[in-house]
Amino acid sequence: MDDYPLLNLFWTMLWLFLWVLWFFLLFKVITDIFRDQEMNGWGKAGWLILVILLPYLGVLVYVIVRGRSMGQRDMKQAQANEKAFQEYVQKAAGTPRHSPAEELAKLSSLKEKGALTQEEYDKAKDKLLA
């Protein structure tokens, strides 16, 4: 331990962290290249060649040029995953999603039977229509 000063240890840790961070970004860029449905095959091949042959410069240029759309594709993918998860949970729980018209009909029949007061009916209807 005496031959490796503490400051050198911090520098080594910093460079290791930056190296891992760069690998994460490289894999993120490659994943985004393949995920983009709007880019044609030649565009994907060109970006991959740039990223593989000149990795640091290629990743930097890709993030500068396509960074905003990269974030939008991430958001779209996250929303699709969330929607699929919600549908799976509803299907697994056995609670099918009904249309607002069906829900209003149910509320109306409950009110007619006396199970709901006018105030409860109005609150439920406002919540449903919101």
Side-chain angles (χ1 to χ4, degrees), residues 113-127:
K113 291 178 185 176
L116 292 177
T117 64
Q118 182 64 37
E119 183 180 317
E120 292 171 333
Y121 171 78
D122 290 336
K123 283 182 184 179
K125 185 175 94 171
D126 290 342
K127 182 179 178 184

Side-chain angles (χ1 to χ4, degrees), residues 17 19 21 36 40 47 73 79-80 84 95 106 109 114 125:
F17 173 75
W19 186 69
L21 185 68
D36 189 4
N40 63 20
W47 278 113
R73 281 186 292 280
Q79 289 170 349
T95 56
K106 283 183 184 179
S109 68
K125 185 175 94 171

Side-chain angles (χ1 to χ4, degrees), residues 25 29 47 58-68 70:
L25 188 58
V29 165
W47 278 113
V59 167
L60 181 65
V61 170
Y62 187 86
V63 169
I64 290 170
V65 172
R66 299 183 48 88
R68 178 171 291 158
M70 190 171 153

Side-chain angles (χ1 to χ4, degrees), residues 24-124:
F24 174 77
L25 188 58
L26 175 68
F27 292 134
K28 185 84 169 152
V29 165
I30 291 173
T31 303
D32 188 66
I33 289 171
F34 284 109
R35 183 177 25 189
D36 189 4
Q37 299 296 322
E38 297 172 3
M39 192 185 319
N40 63 20
W42 289 107
K44 290 179 182 186
W47 278 113
L48 279 174
I49 289 171
L50 180 66
V51 167
I52 290 171
L53 292 181
L54 300 170
Y56 292 106
L57 182 64
V59 167
L60 181 65
V61 170
Y62 187 86
V63 169
I64 290 170
V65 172
R66 299 183 48 88
R68 178 171 291 158
S69 61
M70 190 171 153
Q72 292 169 348
R73 281 186 292 280
D74 278 345
M75 289 293 292
K76 190 188 306 183
Q77 181 69 35
Q79 289 170 349
N81 289 345
E82 178 67 24
K83 182 180 177 191
F85 175 73
Q86 292 295 334
E87 289 173 359
Y88 172 76
V89 168
Q90 286 179 348
K91 181 180 171 189
T95 56
R97 178 175 267 174
H98 299 288
S99 70
E102 292 173 345
E103 293 293 325
L104 279 174
K106 283 183 184 179
L107 285 174
S108 178
S109 68
L110 286 173
K111 185 183 129 204
E112 289 172 5
K113 291 178 185 176
L116 292 177
T117 64
Q118 182 64 37
E119 183 180 317
E120 292 171 333
Y121 171 78
D122 290 336
K123 283 182 184 179

